[in-house]
Amino acid sequence: MHVKVLLFAALAERANRHEALVPLPEPATVQTLLAEVGRLHPELADLLPRCFISVNQEYANAETPIGPGDEIAILPPVSGGEDGRFRITDQPLSADAVIRLVSNPRAGAVLTFVGTVREFTHGQRTVSLTYEAYVPMAIQKMKQIADEIKQRWPQAEVAMHHRIGDLAIEDIAVIIAVATPHRSESFEAGRYAIERLKQIVPIWKKEIWEDGSEWKGHQQGPWNPLSRPED
């Protein structure tokens, strides 16, 4: 059988493509797939052991079976949608628009987190950023975060918008709005939302510096989409 594999960020850049058609024996597993991808695309071999794999938009392990027609994505370890509350777009973001999505008569507080492109990180000057996302899975994981928040703060309403493409210094990259009856809950739920987004949502950024570039994740530690919510 042949399966289509989606590539992102540094993987796509190295392979000079965002999709690869990979022949596999039957039955096949994720481990079989990675071995074949490494054989067909040796330029990816050193990255593959550190990547995460999704099968049909769910994170998978080495023994997960793969069948004809499955949607496979290889997600490098670096740090749209029908529901308007959860959106990936290449257009500029609006805080007012996101706030309107969560405002309601029960809410006494609406916390808005706005992440912007900064010029200096650890003393290194950034010229611009490029964001890339596995859009359908990113939206699904945003919804998962909202469900986790509902379990902890049942009356919370959440919306998340993230921009992709090329962003300049001071451009808005992400907006999260959380509406709750009381302000303490909005602060707690808002912080939870951005921390979990950094952990499990497949969005990558490429930092363009004056003297080079690098695909990166967030600055808070290893990107780990398999991590469980903290109690």
mmCIF file of all heavy atoms in Angstrom, residues 50 52 76-79 195 198-200 217-227:
data_model
loop_
_atom_site.group_PDB
_atom_site.id
_atom_site.type_symbol
_atom_site.label_atom_id
_atom_site.label_comp_id
_atom_site.label_asym_id
_atom_site.label_seq_id
_atom_site.Cartn_x
_atom_site.Cartn_y
_atom_site.Cartn_z
ATOM 1 N N ARG A 50 13.311 12.169 16.915
ATOM 2 C CA ARG A 50 12.830 13.156 17.884
ATOM 3 C C ARG A 50 11.455 13.703 17.522
ATOM 4 O O ARG A 50 10.955 14.628 18.177
ATOM 5 C CB ARG A 50 13.837 14.303 17.991
ATOM 6 C CG ARG A 50 15.189 13.851 18.525
ATOM 7 C CD ARG A 50 16.180 15.006 18.640
ATOM 8 N NE ARG A 50 16.687 15.413 17.337
ATOM 9 C CZ ARG A 50 16.563 16.621 16.807
ATOM 10 N NH1 ARG A 50 15.908 17.551 17.463
ATOM 11 N NH2 ARG A 50 17.078 16.908 15.632
ATOM 12 N N PHE A 52 7.234 13.558 16.666
ATOM 13 C CA PHE A 52 5.979 12.941 17.062
ATOM 14 C C PHE A 52 5.194 12.603 15.799
ATOM 15 O O PHE A 52 5.320 13.282 14.774
ATOM 16 C CB PHE A 52 5.161 13.876 17.956
ATOM 17 C CG PHE A 52 5.800 14.140 19.282
ATOM 18 C CD1 PHE A 52 6.670 15.215 19.448
ATOM 19 C CD2 PHE A 52 5.558 13.320 20.364
ATOM 20 C CE1 PHE A 52 7.277 15.460 20.667
ATOM 21 C CE2 PHE A 52 6.159 13.559 21.584
ATOM 22 C CZ PHE A 52 7.014 14.625 21.737
ATOM 23 N N PRO A 76 7.680 17.805 13.775
ATOM 24 C CA PRO A 76 9.017 18.034 14.335
ATOM 25 C C PRO A 76 8.943 18.583 15.747
ATOM 26 O O PRO A 76 8.047 19.374 16.072
ATOM 27 C CB PRO A 76 9.645 19.053 13.370
ATOM 28 C CG PRO A 76 8.479 19.717 12.723
ATOM 29 C CD PRO A 76 7.376 18.703 12.659
ATOM 30 N N PRO A 77 9.901 18.205 16.612
ATOM 31 C CA PRO A 77 9.840 18.569 18.033
ATOM 32 C C PRO A 77 10.392 19.948 18.313
ATOM 33 O O PRO A 77 11.383 20.102 19.008
ATOM 34 C CB PRO A 77 10.706 17.487 18.686
ATOM 35 C CG PRO A 77 11.737 17.205 17.653
ATOM 36 C CD PRO A 77 11.041 17.345 16.323
ATOM 37 N N VAL A 78 9.819 20.938 17.793
ATOM 38 C CA VAL A 78 10.235 22.312 18.039
ATOM 39 C C VAL A 78 9.035 23.132 18.442
ATOM 40 O O VAL A 78 7.914 22.749 18.173
ATOM 41 C CB VAL A 78 10.912 22.940 16.790
ATOM 42 C CG1 VAL A 78 12.201 22.216 16.527
ATOM 43 C CG2 VAL A 78 10.021 22.882 15.587
ATOM 44 N N SER A 79 10.045 23.964 19.332
ATOM 45 C CA SER A 79 8.977 24.831 19.700
ATOM 46 C C SER A 79 9.000 26.075 18.822
ATOM 47 O O SER A 79 10.023 26.410 18.389
ATOM 48 C CB SER A 79 9.118 25.104 21.167
ATOM 49 O OG SER A 79 8.648 26.276 21.525
ATOM 50 N N GLU A 195 -0.296 28.013 28.317
ATOM 51 C CA GLU A 195 0.713 26.998 28.608
ATOM 52 C C GLU A 195 0.385 25.695 27.876
ATOM 53 O O GLU A 195 1.284 25.050 27.307
ATOM 54 C CB GLU A 195 0.803 26.744 30.119
ATOM 55 C CG GLU A 195 1.199 27.953 30.951
ATOM 56 C CD GLU A 195 2.615 28.429 30.684
ATOM 57 O OE1 GLU A 195 3.392 27.686 30.056
ATOM 58 O OE2 GLU A 195 2.943 29.553 31.083
ATOM 59 N N LYS A 198 1.062 25.926 24.101
ATOM 60 C CA LYS A 198 2.483 25.750 23.800
ATOM 61 C C LYS A 198 2.905 24.284 23.878
ATOM 62 O O LYS A 198 3.832 23.860 23.192
ATOM 63 C CB LYS A 198 3.329 26.574 24.784
ATOM 64 C CG LYS A 198 3.135 28.085 24.692
ATOM 65 C CD LYS A 198 3.735 28.652 23.435
ATOM 66 C CE LYS A 198 3.722 30.169 23.444
ATOM 67 N NZ LYS A 198 4.341 30.731 22.222
ATOM 68 N N GLN A 199 2.223 23.501 24.711
ATOM 69 C CA GLN A 199 2.596 22.102 24.900
ATOM 70 C C GLN A 199 2.082 21.180 23.802
ATOM 71 O O GLN A 199 2.814 20.313 23.324
ATOM 72 C CB GLN A 199 2.061 21.586 26.246
ATOM 73 C CG GLN A 199 2.834 22.034 27.460
ATOM 74 C CD GLN A 199 2.245 21.431 28.725
ATOM 75 O OE1 GLN A 199 1.047 21.203 28.830
ATOM 76 N NE2 GLN A 199 3.103 21.161 29.696
ATOM 77 N N ILE A 200 0.820 21.326 23.399
ATOM 78 C CA ILE A 200 0.210 20.262 22.601
ATOM 79 C C ILE A 200 -0.325 20.684 21.238
ATOM 80 O O ILE A 200 -0.713 19.816 20.445
ATOM 81 C CB ILE A 200 -0.940 19.579 23.387
ATOM 82 C CG1 ILE A 200 -2.136 20.518 23.558
ATOM 83 C CG2 ILE A 200 -0.451 19.054 24.722
ATOM 84 C CD1 ILE A 200 -3.376 19.825 24.109
ATOM 85 N N GLY A 217 10.363 25.967 19.087
ATOM 86 C CA GLY A 217 9.121 25.912 19.844
ATOM 87 C C GLY A 217 9.130 27.046 20.861
ATOM 88 O O GLY A 217 9.803 28.050 20.694
ATOM 89 N N HIS A 218 8.390 26.874 21.952
ATOM 90 C CA HIS A 218 8.342 27.920 22.951
ATOM 91 C C HIS A 218 9.594 27.905 23.821
ATOM 92 O O HIS A 218 10.422 27.001 23.720
ATOM 93 C CB HIS A 218 7.084 27.778 23.816
ATOM 94 C CG HIS A 218 7.026 26.489 24.568
ATOM 95 N ND1 HIS A 218 7.464 26.388 25.855
ATOM 96 C CD2 HIS A 218 6.612 25.259 24.213
ATOM 97 C CE1 HIS A 218 7.303 25.141 26.273
ATOM 98 N NE2 HIS A 218 6.787 24.438 25.298
ATOM 99 N N GLN A 219 9.761 28.893 24.661
ATOM 100 C CA GLN A 219 10.961 29.034 25.471
ATOM 101 C C GLN A 219 10.811 28.456 26.880
ATOM 102 O O GLN A 219 11.577 28.781 27.769
ATOM 103 C CB GLN A 219 11.344 30.507 25.587
ATOM 104 C CG GLN A 219 12.323 30.955 24.517
ATOM 105 C CD GLN A 219 11.664 31.219 23.185
ATOM 106 O OE1 GLN A 219 10.784 32.043 23.121
ATOM 107 N NE2 GLN A 219 12.068 30.549 22.133
ATOM 108 N N GLN A 220 9.831 27.586 27.119
ATOM 109 C CA GLN A 220 9.561 27.122 28.470
ATOM 110 C C GLN A 220 9.958 25.668 28.684
ATOM 111 O O GLN A 220 9.604 25.074 29.672
ATOM 112 C CB GLN A 220 8.068 27.330 28.777
ATOM 113 C CG GLN A 220 7.691 28.790 28.745
ATOM 114 C CD GLN A 220 6.219 28.990 28.534
ATOM 115 O OE1 GLN A 220 5.477 28.033 28.397
ATOM 116 N NE2 GLN A 220 5.800 30.232 28.483
ATOM 117 N N GLY A 221 10.699 25.082 27.765
ATOM 118 C CA GLY A 221 11.109 23.702 27.941
ATOM 119 C C GLY A 221 10.736 22.864 26.737
ATOM 120 O O GLY A 221 10.179 23.367 25.771
ATOM 121 N N PRO A 222 11.022 21.564 26.749
ATOM 122 C CA PRO A 222 10.762 20.711 25.592
ATOM 123 C C PRO A 222 9.291 20.664 25.213
ATOM 124 O O PRO A 222 8.427 20.535 26.072
ATOM 125 C CB PRO A 222 11.248 19.331 26.063
ATOM 126 C CG PRO A 222 12.190 19.621 27.178
ATOM 127 C CD PRO A 222 11.663 20.853 27.846
ATOM 128 N N TRP A 223 9.024 20.781 23.920
ATOM 129 C CA TRP A 223 7.658 20.644 23.399
ATOM 130 C C TRP A 223 7.244 19.197 23.561
ATOM 131 O O TRP A 223 7.940 18.292 23.118
ATOM 132 C CB TRP A 223 7.660 21.049 21.931
ATOM 133 C CG TRP A 223 6.318 21.058 21.272
ATOM 134 C CD1 TRP A 223 5.272 21.874 21.538
ATOM 135 C CD2 TRP A 223 5.902 20.212 20.194
ATOM 136 N NE1 TRP A 223 4.222 21.587 20.701
ATOM 137 C CE2 TRP A 223 4.579 20.582 19.877
ATOM 138 C CE3 TRP A 223 6.512 19.177 19.483
ATOM 139 C CZ2 TRP A 223 3.859 19.964 18.870
ATOM 140 C CZ3 TRP A 223 5.788 18.557 18.477
ATOM 141 C CH2 TRP A 223 4.478 18.949 18.171
ATOM 142 N N ASN A 224 6.132 18.951 24.224
ATOM 143 C CA ASN A 224 5.728 17.580 24.487
ATOM 144 C C ASN A 224 4.215 17.442 24.327
ATOM 145 O O ASN A 224 3.457 17.595 25.287
ATOM 146 C CB ASN A 224 6.154 17.126 25.886
ATOM 147 C CG ASN A 224 5.799 15.669 26.140
ATOM 148 O OD1 ASN A 224 5.396 14.948 25.228
ATOM 149 N ND2 ASN A 224 5.948 15.239 27.370
ATOM 150 N N PRO A 225 3.736 17.151 23.111
ATOM 151 C CA PRO A 225 2.302 17.060 22.889
ATOM 152 C C PRO A 225 1.637 15.885 23.585
ATOM 153 O O PRO A 225 0.424 15.806 23.616
ATOM 154 C CB PRO A 225 2.196 16.937 21.359
ATOM 155 C CG PRO A 225 3.495 16.370 20.938
ATOM 156 C CD PRO A 225 4.510 16.938 21.885
ATOM 157 N N LEU A 226 2.441 14.963 24.129
ATOM 158 C CA LEU A 226 1.854 13.823 24.841
ATOM 159 C C LEU A 226 1.684 14.098 26.319
ATOM 160 O O LEU A 226 1.211 13.244 27.063
ATOM 161 C CB LEU A 226 2.741 12.575 24.656
ATOM 162 C CG LEU A 226 2.954 12.139 23.196
ATOM 163 C CD1 LEU A 226 3.845 10.896 23.153
ATOM 164 C CD2 LEU A 226 1.640 11.883 22.489
ATOM 165 N N SER A 227 2.081 15.290 26.770
ATOM 166 C CA SER A 227 1.993 15.601 28.189
ATOM 167 C C SER A 227 0.540 15.679 28.635
ATOM 168 O O SER A 227 -0.343 16.082 27.886
ATOM 169 C CB SER A 227 2.699 16.924 28.505
ATOM 170 O OG SER A 227 2.022 18.000 27.875
#
